[in-house]
C-alpha cells in the first residue's frame, strides 16, 4: 500500500451460496404454525422421554435445512441425528447450525447430520436400535406422498430402542378426509365466461399427456384462494387414518377403500378433494382443512388443530366424473392407495360396463340431467358431449396400447442377448404403433429414445458372460 493510504479492510471469508435446491424449503421455514407445533411437540417428547428413560435420543428422517434437529437439540435431547440425501441441502443445514452456535459434530457425535438416503440409514449398523424419538415432516399436499407411512414402519423396526417404554413418533397419526366437489372456472372481468376450459382444470394431475388414464396422480389446488371456482357437493368423509406408532409391515401394500359420499346439493360433480390431519401429540395437530370444511359439512377439526400455511400446503384434487347428483343421495367411489399415492374412480361403472338392463337407468340418473343442464345453461349439444366422451375413451385405449408395447419393448431390450430376430420384433412393434388406429401417433416419440438408446448400448458393448455361480445382471 502507498504511504498514507488507508489500510485495506480484512478479507472476508468467502462462503458458498446455497443451492437452488434449498428454495423448496422456504415455504416450510415461513410456516409459523408448523414450526411452533413441532417445537412444542419436540419439547414435550424430550421431557417425557427423559422422565421415563433418563436419556432422549432423536432421529429425523429427511432433515432438510436442519430446523427440526435444532429444535430437538434446544429441547435438551442427549443425542440428535438426522439424515438428508441432498448434499447441497446438507451444506446449507451445516451453515444454519453453525450460525445458531449449534454446529454438527463428527460421525458418531451427539449432534450429527448424516448425508445419505433414508434407505441407507436403515442399513447403517451404528444407528440401529439407538433412538427413542422419531420425527419427520414428510407430508405433501396429498398427505402421504413423501412416504411418511412406510418410512415410519421401517424405522420403528430398525432404529428405535427395544424395551418396555414405547418410542415417541412425531406425528403419531395421519388421517385423510375427502369430499366431492363441483368445479367451474369463474367468469373474469365481470362477464367473460371461461366454462369451456373446465375440462382442463385438473390438468395438473397429468404428468404428461401420454399419462392420461395410466398413472395415478393429483393436482394441488389452494381451495381457499380459489373459492369462486368450486362448490361443495358432498359431506366430508374420513377415508384413511393410520396409527403410525402401531402400523406394521403387513400394511405396506396396495389397498382398496370403499367410500360413500352423501351429496348436499343438486348439480354436477366433476372432482374429489382431500386434505389431512397430522396428529403430533395430544396437544397439537397440524391440518390442511380448507375454510369451507372447517367444522362444516360433517367435518370436525380438533381443538388442538393448527392450520398449516398455504405457502407450504395446498389441498389434493383429482378429476372424477362428471356425473349428475341430487341432494341427499349417496355416491360410491373406490379409493386405491399403496401407502404413498392415491387414485379415485367412481364405483358406479359407466354405461357399456354395466349389466344389461341397468344401462338405461344409470343414464337417466347420472347422464341425462347433466346433458340437459349443459344444453340449457351452456348451449352444448348432447351429441357433442358423447363425441368428447368417445374421444377420451379412444385416448385411454391408446395409452393402454402404448403401455402394452412399452412393456414388450422393455422385456426385449433388457434381455442379455439381442439377436437380429429381437431387433426385427421391436421394429415390428414400432410399425404397429404407427399404424394402429387405437394408438395416438405421438407415442413413438416416447418409445424411440428408450428403444434405440438401449439397442445402441447393446450393440457397442456386448454382454459379458457372468462368472460361474454369480447372478446375471439386472
Amino acid at each position: 500500500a502507498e504511504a498514507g493510504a488507508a489500510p485495506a479492510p480484512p478479507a472476508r471469508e468467502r462462503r458458498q451460496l446455497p443451492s437452488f435446491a434449498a428454495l423448496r424449503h422456504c415455504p416450510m421455514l415461513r410456516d409459523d404454525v408448523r414450526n411452533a407445533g413441532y417445537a412444542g411437540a419436540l419439547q414435550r417428547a424430550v421431557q417425557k422421554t427423559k422422565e421415563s428413560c433418563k436419556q432422549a435420543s432423536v432421529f429425523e428422517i429427511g432433515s432438510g435445512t436442519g430446523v427440526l434437529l435444532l429444535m430437538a437439540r434446544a429441547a435438551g435431547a442427549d443425542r440428535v441425528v438426522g439424515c438428508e440425501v441432498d448434499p447441497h441441502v446438507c451444506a446449507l443445514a451445516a451453515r444454519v447450525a453453525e450460525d445458531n452456535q449449534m454446529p454438527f459434530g463428527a460421525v458418531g457425535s451427539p449432534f450429527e447430520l448424516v448425508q445419505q438416503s433414508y434407505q441407507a440409514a436403515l442399513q447403517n449398523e451404528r444407528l440401529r436400535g439407538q433412538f427413542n424419538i422419531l420425527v419427520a415432516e414428510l407430508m405433501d399436499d396429498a398427505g402421504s406422498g413423501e412416504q411418511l407411512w412406510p418410512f415410519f414402519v421401517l424405522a420403528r423396526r430398525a432404529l428405535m430402542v427395544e424395551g418396555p417404554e414405547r418410542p415417541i413418533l412425531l406425528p403419531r397419526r395421519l388421517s385423510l378426509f375427502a369430499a366431492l366437489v363441483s368445479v367451474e372456472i369463474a367468469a373474469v372481468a365481470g362477464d367473460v365466461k371461461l366454462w369451456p376450459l373446465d375440462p382442463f382444470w385438473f390438468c395438473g394431475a397429468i404428468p404428461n399427456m401420454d399419462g392420461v388414464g395410466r398413472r395415478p396422480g393429483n393436482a394441488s389446488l389452494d381451495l381457499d384462494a380459489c373459492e369462486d371456482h368450486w362448490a361443495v357437493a358432498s359431506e366430508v368423509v374420513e377415508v384413511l387414518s393410520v396409527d403410525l406408532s402401531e402400523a406394521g409391515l403387513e400394511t405396506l401394500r396396495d389397498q382398496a377403500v370403499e367410500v360413500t359420499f352423501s351429496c348436499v346439493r343438486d348439480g354436477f360433480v366433476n372432482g374429489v378433494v382431500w386434505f389431512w390431519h397430522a396428529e403430533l401429540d395430544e396437544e397439537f395437530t397440524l391440518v390442511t382443512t380448507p375454510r369451507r370444511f372447517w367444522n362444516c359439512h360433517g367435518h370436525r377439526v380438533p381443538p388442538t388443530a393448527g392450520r398449516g400455511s398455504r405457502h407450504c400446503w395446498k389441498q389434493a384434487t383429482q378429476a372424477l366424473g362428471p356425473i349428475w347428483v341430487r341432494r341427499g343421495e349417496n355416491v360410491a367411489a373406490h379409493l386405491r392407495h399403496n401407502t404413498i399415492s392415491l387414485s379415485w374412480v367412481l364405483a358406479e361403472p359407466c354405461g357399456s360396463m354395466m349389466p344389461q338392463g341397468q344401462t338405461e337407468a344409470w343414464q337417466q340418473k347420472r347422464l341425462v340431467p347433466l346433458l340437459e343442464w349443459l344444453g340449457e345453461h351452456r348451449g352444448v349439444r348432447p351429441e357433442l358431449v358423447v363425441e368428447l366422451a368417445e374421444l377420451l375413451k379412444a385416448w385411454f385405449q391408446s395409452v393402454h396400447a402404448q403401455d402394452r408395447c412399452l412393456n414388450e419393448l422393455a422385456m426385449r431390450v433388457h434381455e442379455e442377448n439381442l439377436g437380429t430376430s429381437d431387433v426385427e420384433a421391436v421394429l415390428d412393434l414400432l410399425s404397429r404403433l404407427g399404424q394402429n388406429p387405437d394408438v395416438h401417433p405421438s407415442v413413438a416419440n416416447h418409445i424411440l429414445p428408450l428403444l434405440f438408446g438401449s439397442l445402441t448400448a447393446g450393440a457397442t458393448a456386448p454382454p459379458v458372460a457372468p462368472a460361474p455361480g454369480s447372478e446375471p445382471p439386472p
Side-chain angles (χ1 to χ4, degrees), residues 33 45 85 92 94 108 146 194 209 234 241 298 308 321 410 419 425 465 474:
V33 172
V85 69
L92 180 60
E146 296 184 14
L194 299 176
M209 289 306 291
S234 78
S241 185

Side-chain angles (χ1 to χ4, degrees), residues 454-470:
S454 301
L455 286 178
T456 303
T460 56
V464 178
S470 66

Side-chain angles (χ1 to χ4, degrees), residues 135-415:
V135 61
E137 197 278 79
L138 294 174
M139 294 81 70
D140 63 351
D141 294 336
S144 58
E146 296 184 14
Q147 306 183 49
L148 175 70
W149 184 343
F151 281 178
F152 268 31
V153 169
L154 297 174
R156 286 197 353 256
R157 295 170 58 89
L159 304 179
M160 298 293 101
V161 174
E162 295 184 2
E165 296 294 332
R166 294 178 58 184
I168 294 178
L169 275 65
L170 307 175
R172 63 185 186 183
R173 178 177 291 276
L174 180 68
S175 302
L176 273 58
F177 304 86
L180 299 178
V181 293
S182 304
V183 170
E184 185 176 20
I185 300 177
V188 298
D191 58 355
V192 179
K193 297 179 175 60
L194 299 176
W195 63 265
L197 299 177
D198 285 348
F200 302 98
W201 180 262
F202 295 99
C203 279
I206 304 169
N208 44 57
M209 289 306 291
D210 77 303
V212 176
R214 179 171 71 234
R215 303 185 184 94
N218 56 274
S220 295
L221 297 176
D222 185 347
L223 295 180
D224 286 341
C226 56
E227 289 184 338
D228 291 342
H229 303 285
W230 67 281
V232 177
S234 78
E235 299 281 6
V236 176
V237 180
E238 183 182 277
V239 298
L240 192 63
S241 185
V242 54
D243 184 344
L244 297 170
S245 63
E246 293 288 348
L249 289 175
E250 72 281 357
T251 67
L252 304 184
R253 56 181 174 81
D254 290 345
Q255 302 181 41
V257 181
E258 306 301 315
V259 181
T260 300
F261 294 101
S262 177
C263 298
V264 298
R265 63 192 291 269
D266 293 356
F268 66 89
V269 165
N270 61 354
V272 59
V273 302
W274 66 98
F275 46 93
W276 49 262
H277 293 179
E279 181 182 303
L280 270 62
D281 60 11
E282 63 277 357
E283 295 191 33
F284 182 76
T285 299
L286 187 65
V287 307
T288 59
T289 304
R291 280 192 300 260
R292 283 184 176 167
F293 295 126
W294 195 277
N295 291 327
C296 295
H297 298 291
H299 180 62
R300 290 293 173 263
V301 179
T304 59
R307 172 68 165 88
S309 169
R310 286 168 43 196
H311 296 294
C312 189
W313 289 294
K314 301 177 177 62
Q315 290 77 35
T317 66
Q318 183 197 302
L320 196 66
I323 59 172
W324 191 265
V325 299
R326 298 193 183 280
R327 180 185 178 90
E329 75 175 358
N330 292 332
V331 173
H334 297 305
L335 166 63
R336 294 199 63 85
H337 72 90
N338 59 1
T339 73
I340 301 171
S341 61
L342 290 77
S343 61
W344 296 81
V345 295
L346 290 169
E348 302 175 355
C350 60
S352 61
M353 299 171 58
M354 300 190 72
Q356 190 68 25
Q358 296 184 21
T359 301
E360 184 176 351
W362 184 86
Q363 290 176 341
Q364 289 292 329
K365 180 179 181 180
R366 296 296 187 210
L367 293 185
V368 172
L370 176 62
L371 295 177
E372 291 176 346
W373 184 87
L374 288 171
E376 179 181 354
H377 296 274
R378 298 289 180 257
V380 179
R381 302 190 310 275
E383 57 268 25
L384 177 59
V385 177
V386 174
E387 289 174 4
L388 285 173
E390 291 299 319
L391 175 62
L392 287 175
K393 181 180 178 182
W395 187 282
F396 292 159
Q397 290 175 343
S398 74
V399 168
H400 293 310
Q402 176 190 345
D403 278 348
R404 289 193 296 271
C405 290
L406 279 173
N407 291 337
E408 179 67 22
L409 288 170
M411 291 177 60
R412 297 278 185 175
V413 300
H414 284 96
E415 291 178 356

Side-chain angles (χ1 to χ4, degrees), residues 70 95-103:
L70 296 177
R95 177 175 173 179
V96 171
E98 180 183 344
D99 288 347
N100 281 274
Q101 290 76 51
M102 287 188 285

